[in-house]
Structures are given as C-alpha cells and as structure tokens.
Amino acid sequence: MVKIKYLSIGVLIIIIGIVITVVLLPSEEKKVKKQFNLLSGYATKSPEESGFTLLQKMKNIGSLFDEQCELKAPSQSLSGNYKREEISSYAGSARSYFSQLDLRFYDFNIVFSEKGVARVTLTSRLTGKSVAGEQVDETRELECVLKKIEGKWLFSQIEVVEVLKK
Amino acid sequence: MPIPNQIRKFFFPSFTPKFLIRIFLVALLAYLFFGYICIPFTIRGTSMEPTYHNGGFNFCWRLGTLFSEPKRFDVVMVRFAGSRVMLLKRVVAQESERVEFRDGKLFVNEREIEEPYVHYPCDWNLPPRQVEKGFVYVVGDNRSMPIENHHFGQTSKSRIMGVPLW
C-alpha cells in the first residue's frame, strides 16, 4: 500500500516535470510565434509616439525580415521581392497613415516543411484610426514563410490569402 | 440562523474524489461544447446591420452547416485561418449561379432577387460573374457604404464554420 502511494507520487512528479519542461522550454514553434509578437509590437502605434520611437520601430521591423522578402498582396498593390530596407520604409509610410494602430495575430498553424523553414498560416487583424480620424478594422488570412538564418527566424515570404473574391 | 445542511453542501461541497471527477467532466464538456460546437462571439462592425448590430453577442452553431449545404439567404460564419476571427455574411448565390448588382439590386441568373433584409439604400453596380464549383457567394445586409468598402464575394464552402444561433 505504501509502495503504491510512493509510486503514485513519483509518477505525478514526473508528469508535472514533463509539463513544466514542455511549457517553459523555448521550442522552435515558440520562437516562430515570438517573431510575430515582435512584429505586432513594432507595428503598434499610440497617438503620443515620438519621432525617435518611430525610427527605432521602423528599424526593428526591418530586422525581422530576410535580406529579400517576397510580398504577395495584390489587393494592396504589393507584389514582388523587396529588400529589408524597402520593407522598413514601406512600414514607416504605412504607419504614418495612422494616428493609432494595433496589429494582432490569431489562429497560428505552424508547419516545419523542411529543416530551417517554417510555413505559417494565421489570421491578422489590424485596427486603428487614420490621421483623418477614420476608423480602420481590417482582417486578413496570411501565409508566411520564415527561414532560420543564423539562429533567427526571419520572414522571407508573406502572402495575403483571398478569403472573399468579388 | 443556521444554514440548512443541504444548502451548505451545495455551495460549499467537500472535495471528495467523486466531486473532483464531476468538476473535471463538466469543465471538459464545457470546453468541447463552447470551443468546437457552439462558439461564442461578439459582433464587431456594421456590415450586417440592421439584422445584426455592432457589439451584439451570439453563438456560432457549427452543427448548422455540418450536415447540410448552406442555402440562399442563410446567414453564415466564414472563417479565416481559424475560428478566433470570422465574418458574418449572408449567402446570396450558390455554385454555378451568376451574380450581378444593378443599381443596388441583386440579380442571380438574370433574375432580380427580393431581399427584404436590406433596409438601407444601395447603389452598387457589379458586372455579372459566375460562382465557382465548391463556392458560395456571400454579402452583408448593410450595403449603404461604397461597394469598394464592403467585404463580400465568393468563398469556399469549406470556410463556412456554421450559422449564428439566433
């Protein structure tokens, strides 16, 4: 009876240990998600953002992308390969259209199709207010490809999926 | 005044193994039911006014379209990458049908369709287009905005998650 009791406690401790390890250890999936969280943080804009913060965020956005990134968003007139610097400046000009901006990502589906390549399907939601005072609420499904370069997951392709086709 | 034993037991039950199992089962069933079968959601936006109002609360009943195809005039939920953010739209045409808007009036296969749920004035014009196989054509009830600002179009039936409960 005592043996069973100690055995049960032992099994319980092992299960808790495994759960804690799985939750706390940074898996590749978590690292990929972290890049999206960083992008979300850098894209977000508050009305009282200073010029210095703006420049810092633009630079940081660029650092999340590969040297060359393919963008496929025909509805936004964006298609082709863009350099990291071009993406930074495009992000900067897009942010300047808004006085307030919030970008969030949901429903991650991450597949590691080959070593060092992550294919991510997710929903992005952009809410905010334009400088003209117009409310903005845009939701898109995105298919992204991230490549692991020098230990960092970098965006190398972003495609906007057409959910509704007029 | 002393609290009757039965009431005390109901509000402050003793943590017996039986009680813990019951709690676990109730939590599991609630998670499955509200996570996968009857998903709660809040309406954001005015695209379905006046049928559904901005800020309204409802449930996405997944069994509503699980065993039957969506029919014309059904209000459906269209998913993006998952179920966290969905679109609430009305089916106006089915696969192989030709859809067109002429001065705000909906035409399907060259026949004008009566839409009693559209209450606001509409001046949309959209050249005819055929709904592809495996797709349905969805539009919101509020067509008072310019056609470019309204999200509508054909979507794959596989994207339809269910129907609003009321």
Side-chain angles (χ1 to χ4, degrees):
Chain A
M1 193 66 189
V2 177
K3 258 187 181 174
I4 291 173
K5 191 181 164 189
Y6 286 130
L7 198 68
S8 310
I9 292 169
V11 169
L12 196 70
I13 289 169
I14 290 168
I15 290 170
I16 290 169
I18 291 169
V19 169
I20 288 172
T21 312
V22 168
V23 170
L24 293 183
L25 269 186
S27 64
E28 289 301 316
E29 201 171 305
K30 277 184 194 164
K31 285 179 187 169
V32 169
K33 271 189 186 175
K34 194 184 157 198
Q35 294 302 91
F36 283 93
N37 289 337
L38 287 173
L39 181 60
S40 167
Y42 297 148
T44 297
K45 185 180 180 182
S46 64
E48 58 274 354
E49 186 178 273
S50 67
F52 175 74
T53 316
L54 166 77
L55 288 173
Q56 194 63 41
K57 283 191 168 180
M58 270 173 67
K59 193 180 154 208
N60 289 340
I61 287 173
S63 71
L64 298 174
F65 287 81
D66 197 356
E67 285 293 342
Q68 283 274 337
C69 179
E70 190 182 1
L71 300 180
K72 292 181 190 171
S75 56
Q76 269 78 38
S77 313
L78 261 177
S79 278
N81 287 305
Y82 293 83
K83 284 183 188 157
R84 187 179 282 167
E85 297 76 29
E86 287 175 314
I87 290 171
S88 266
S89 72
Y90 180 77
S93 64
R95 285 177 93 252
S96 67
Y97 173 76
F98 299 93
S99 61
Q100 203 177 327
L101 182 63
D102 188 30
L103 177 66
R104 284 170 196 250
F105 298 110
Y106 305 95
D107 294 320
F108 286 86
N109 179 16
I110 304 170
V111 176
F112 296 96
S113 53
E114 52 195 277
K115 202 178 175 230
V117 178
R119 292 181 185 279
V120 187
T121 308
L122 75 155
T123 306
S124 70
R125 186 163 183 226
L126 189 144
T127 52
K129 202 188 254 186
S130 72
V131 278
E134 195 184 327
Q135 288 290 340
V136 179
D137 190 343
E138 293 285 338
T139 307
R140 295 280 184 272
E141 180 174 321
L142 302 179
E143 276 180 10
C144 307
V145 176
L146 286 89
K147 286 184 180 162
K148 197 172 187 180
I149 297 159
E150 291 168 11
K152 272 177 81 180
W153 286 100
L154 300 176
F155 290 91
S156 70
Q157 191 184 311
I158 299 177
E159 183 178 355
V160 177
V161 178
E162 205 172 32
V163 173
L164 295 178
K165 189 179 161 192
K166 272 181 184 165
Chain B
M1 199 179 84
I3 304 165
N5 199 29
Q6 273 187 325
I7 294 175
R8 202 174 55 217
K9 258 189 167 175
F10 182 81
F11 285 106
F12 306 102
S14 48
F15 284 84
T16 59
K18 228 177 176 180
F19 173 75
L20 291 175
I21 289 169
R22 213 159 60 215
I23 284 271
F24 173 75
L25 285 177
V26 168
L28 184 69
L29 284 175
Y31 171 75
L32 293 174
F33 186 73
F34 292 113
Y36 297 95
I37 299 169
C38 193
I39 306 164
F41 69 89
T42 311
I43 299 162
R44 298 252 181 266
T46 58
S47 124
M48 281 300 283
E49 295 268 4
T51 318
Y52 294 96
H53 301 287
N54 182 27
F57 178 79
N58 210 317
F59 290 89
C60 171
W61 180 242
R62 295 210 56 197
L63 305 183
T65 50
L66 201 64
F67 304 109
S68 61
E69 296 271 298
K71 298 183 291 292
R72 183 179 298 151
F73 303 140
D74 281 354
V75 177
V76 294
M77 313 280 306
V78 181
R79 69 163 178 83
F80 287 92
S83 61
R84 283 289 301 275
V85 188
M86 292 187 275
L87 293 169
L88 187 63
K89 299 284 172 190
R90 192 181 292 274
V91 175
V92 296
Q94 285 168 305
E95 60 181 29
S96 310
E97 290 184 322
R98 281 177 77 78
V99 191
E100 182 185 1
F101 278 101
R102 280 185 222 157
D103 296 323
K105 295 203 167 56
L106 171 70
F107 285 78
V108 176
N109 292 339
E110 295 289 322
R111 200 164 54 88
E112 189 182 333
I113 303 291
E114 276 294 315
E115 294 186 284
Y117 42 81
V118 176
H119 289 223
Y120 304 133
C122 169
D123 58 357
W124 291 3
N125 281 299
L126 187 78
R129 61 220 42 228
Q130 189 147 13
V131 183
E132 288 170 35
K133 209 168 160 43
F135 284 68
V136 287
Y137 209 87
V138 296
V139 190
D141 290 356
N142 182 5
R143 302 175 198 164
S144 59
M145 66 280 281
I147 194 166
E148 312 80 53
N149 296 353
H150 190 99
H151 274 131
F152 70 96
Q154 66 169 3
T155 190
S156 169
K157 284 181 195 171
S158 64
R159 285 193 176 271
I160 292 176
M161 287 287 281
V163 296
L165 208 51
W166 57 80

